[in-house]
């Protein structure tokens, strides 16, 4: 199967290259108070100082962002979990890329399945990706199937998801684009299972092939592809080592400082 969709490039070289691992915490709608948020960041901050091969990003609820950035460290980057595509105006409850950038946040997670479930379409996501990249933010674009059918129709679904979410994004805007492969069935407390490292590797190769078709091979190979879905300290290494992920997008384990720091240590040890 891997050889069928491979194009002769050593998958691990193609997927990881010599770049640093990127570990991103998606806190979702957690924790409940800014005091708890500060505590988690302070533990992560204590751990990132010694990391040489791992970049770390925390994406808290944006209401905590200003406070946490001030209490963070230069070694710890911050991001948000959503953004509006317009620069400003009458959009009650929304936040703009300029607002995020003014707080010195550098990343934004877009297209997460939980937001797609709330009604976000590929069209809307493409507009957000464009706005964020144009503003100089790094975008972590989430893609992934709801289920894996034996006929592999999920691969077509994922192809159209990637193509549509990147519609109108020119090659010269790709430098700050990161893809996070997050199979919906492997996310959260109700996850049906975990992805096997060989399945992950195969999917990453498939994603690169799509990107290569949309842009070109060098652009596709340069792009970081992360994995997200039920990541913990015990399985993190296998996703990056055998699975070929350039890093991880961590949900539940990212709001438990001990577990998140454990994952950072695993990444650093690879
Ligand atoms: P969990 O790690 O809680 O499964 O969440 C994954 C995720 O959705 C990260 O964006």
């Amino acid at each position: 199967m891997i050889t069928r969709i491979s194009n002769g490039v050593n998958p691990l070289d193609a997927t990881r290259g010599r770049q640093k691992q990127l570990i991103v915490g998606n806190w979702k709608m957690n924790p409940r108070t800014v005091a708890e948020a500060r505590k988690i960041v302070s533990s992560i901050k204590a751990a990132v100082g010694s990391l040489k091969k791992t970049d770390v990003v925390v994406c808290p609820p944006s209401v905590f962002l200003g406070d946490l950035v001030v209490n963070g460290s230069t070694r710890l980057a911050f991001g948000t979990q959503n953004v509006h595509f317009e620069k400003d105006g009458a959009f009650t409850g929304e936040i703009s890329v300029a607002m995020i950038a003014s707080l010195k946040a550098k990343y934004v997670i877009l297209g997460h399945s939980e937001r797609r479930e709330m009604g976000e379409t590929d069209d809307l996501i493409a507009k957000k990706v464009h706005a964020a990249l144009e503003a100089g933010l790094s975008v972590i674009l989430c893609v992934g199937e709801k289920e894996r059918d034996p006929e592999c129709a999920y691969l077509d679904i994922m192809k159209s998801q990637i193509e549509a979410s990147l519609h109108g994004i020119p090659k010269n805007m790709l430098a700050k684009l990161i893809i996070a492969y997050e199979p919906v069935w492997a996310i959260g407390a109700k996850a049906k299972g975990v992805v096997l490292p060989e399945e992950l590797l195969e999917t990453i190769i498939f994603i690169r092939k799509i990107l290569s078709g949309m842009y070109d091979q060098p652009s596709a190979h340069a792009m970081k592809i992360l994995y997200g879905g039920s990541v913990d300290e015990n399985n993190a290494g296998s996703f990056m080592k055998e699975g070929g992920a350039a890093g991880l997008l961590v949900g539940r384990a990212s709001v438990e400082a001990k577990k998140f720091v454990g994952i950072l240590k695993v990444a650093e040890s690879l």
Side-chain angles (χ1 to χ4, degrees), residues 67-78:
D67 186 282
L68 297 181
V69 169
V70 171
N71 288 293
S73 99
T74 48
R75 303 292 304 276
L76 180 58
F78 285 90

Side-chain angles (χ1 to χ4, degrees), residues 50-52 247 261:
S50 60
L51 302 179
K52 295 199 168 48
V261 169

Side-chain angles (χ1 to χ4, degrees), residues 135-231:
L137 294 175
S138 291
V139 169
I140 301 164
L141 173 66
C142 302
V143 297
E145 76 280 1
K146 285 191 177 159
E147 57 183 345
R148 281 194 171 214
D149 58 311
E151 288 77 34
C152 295
Y154 72 90
L155 293 174
D156 295 328
I157 294 168
M158 211 160 64
K159 181 169 188 281
S160 65
Q161 201 180 45
I162 294 170
E163 287 174 347
S165 302
L166 291 178
H167 181 74
I169 307 296
K171 199 171 89 174
N172 64 7
M173 287 181 93
L174 294 182
K176 289 194 168 178
L177 181 74
I178 296 154
I179 303 278
Y181 170 56
E182 292 212 319
V184 183
W185 54 269
I187 292 176
K190 292 188 185 141
K192 289 198 189 109
V194 285
V195 170
L196 298 173
E198 56 268 32
E199 290 172 335
L200 175 59
L201 180 58
E202 189 178 281
T203 310
I204 288 178
I205 295 167
F206 179 72
I207 292 172
R208 275 197 209 288
K209 198 134 177 61
I210 297 166
L211 295 168
S212 187
M214 291 175 72
Y215 299 100
D216 55 32
Q217 224 184 35
S219 313
H221 286 164
M223 203 169 302
K224 269 189 192 297
I225 302 182
L226 313 183
Y227 169 74
S230 298
V231 172

Side-chain angles (χ1 to χ4, degrees), residues 194-195 197 227 229-240 242 248 263 266:
V194 285
V195 170
Y227 169 74
S230 298
V231 172
D232 60 28
E233 324 86 290
N234 301 316
N235 60 22
S238 68
F239 295 132
M240 292 181 279
E242 293 91 32
L248 303 165
I263 293 170
V266 170

